[in-house]
Amino acid sequence: MSNLFVVAYNDLATANQVREKLFELSKQHLVELEDAVVVERRDDGKIKLHQAVNHSAVGAAGGALWGGVIGLLFLAPLLGAAVGAAAGAAGGAFTDTGINDDFMKDLSQNLRPGAAALFVLAKNAAADKVIPQLTPFGGQLVQTSLSNAEEEHLREAFRAAQGESEGKGKETSSAAS
């Protein structure tokens, strides 16, 4: 079963850094991601989704390939590739996998302008190894699909890890003095 986590950040850059860190942790097999989307609330109040996968581009590439192959059969590979790319892009634009876009937009209406949120849909995670690597970025846990007890345990782990990283920062700064 997958779990949803939504964490709000003060700016888009931080949310993107955390998503990149999650991708890195995924390559290390510490977390199994289904989807990771950064949602930005622009200064004009509009919501912008930064998807990890561009379905239109993937559809266009696949459509161009298949269109070219079919075009070869009718001796018009360029026309087939062009038509296939257009059809693939249109189909990709209507494809929505992972976290529901409308849900992300609705929840992100509560962000202040200039802020961002990271929506993560994860199958599995080694929480004891993942949480300490994400807490230095800060952020506020907004919502999860965990039970109340599990969510509170996660919030405590975030607070404890943030306290440890703040303590290490103080030790380092006092040692540098």
Side-chain angles (χ1 to χ4, degrees):
M1 183 173 131
S2 299
N3 285 305
L4 174 72
F5 302 92
V6 182
V7 182
Y9 296 96
N10 290 329
D11 56 64
L12 178 62
T14 304
N16 279 324
Q17 286 176 327
V18 175
R19 181 169 66 172
E20 289 304 315
K21 185 67 172 178
L22 279 170
F23 289 153
E24 184 182 309
L25 295 172
S26 177
K27 288 177 187 173
Q28 297 173 20
H29 303 287
L30 295 176
V31 62
E32 187 178 347
L33 298 174
E34 283 188 46
D35 200 5
V37 180
V38 173
V39 181
E40 167 190 17
R41 179 144 191 212
R42 295 185 172 170
D43 291 330
D44 63 5
K46 291 185 180 179
I47 303 295
K48 171 131 175 80
L49 302 181
H50 299 272
Q51 302 275 1
V53 175
N54 184 341
H55 293 290
S56 295
V58 171
L65 175 68
W66 284 107
V69 170
I70 292 169
L72 280 173
L73 295 174
F74 296 103
L75 302 175
L78 294 178
L79 178 61
V83 171
F94 292 110
T95 301
D96 186 18
T97 58
I99 306 168
N100 182 284
D101 291 355
D102 292 332
F103 168 74
M104 290 187 286
K105 288 177 182 177
D106 289 344
L107 191 60
S108 298
Q109 291 296 329
N110 297 324
L111 292 172
R112 66 167 177 69
L118 176 62
F119 288 72
V120 177
L121 192 59
K123 279 188 181 180
N124 298 310
D128 60 328
K129 294 181 180 179
V130 173
I131 293 171
Q133 294 196 44
L134 300 181
T135 53
F137 295 98
Q140 178 183 358
L141 187 62
V142 175
Q143 185 169 338
T144 73
S145 61
L146 300 172
S147 69
N148 288 338
E150 291 172 321
E151 184 173 328
E152 186 53 36
H153 180 68
L154 179 62
R155 287 182 193 278
E156 288 174 17
F158 259 93
R159 282 192 290 267
Q162 285 176 338
E164 288 174 13
S165 66
E166 288 172 8
K168 288 178 185 175
K170 289 177 185 175
E171 291 169 10
T172 305
S173 63
S174 63
S177 300

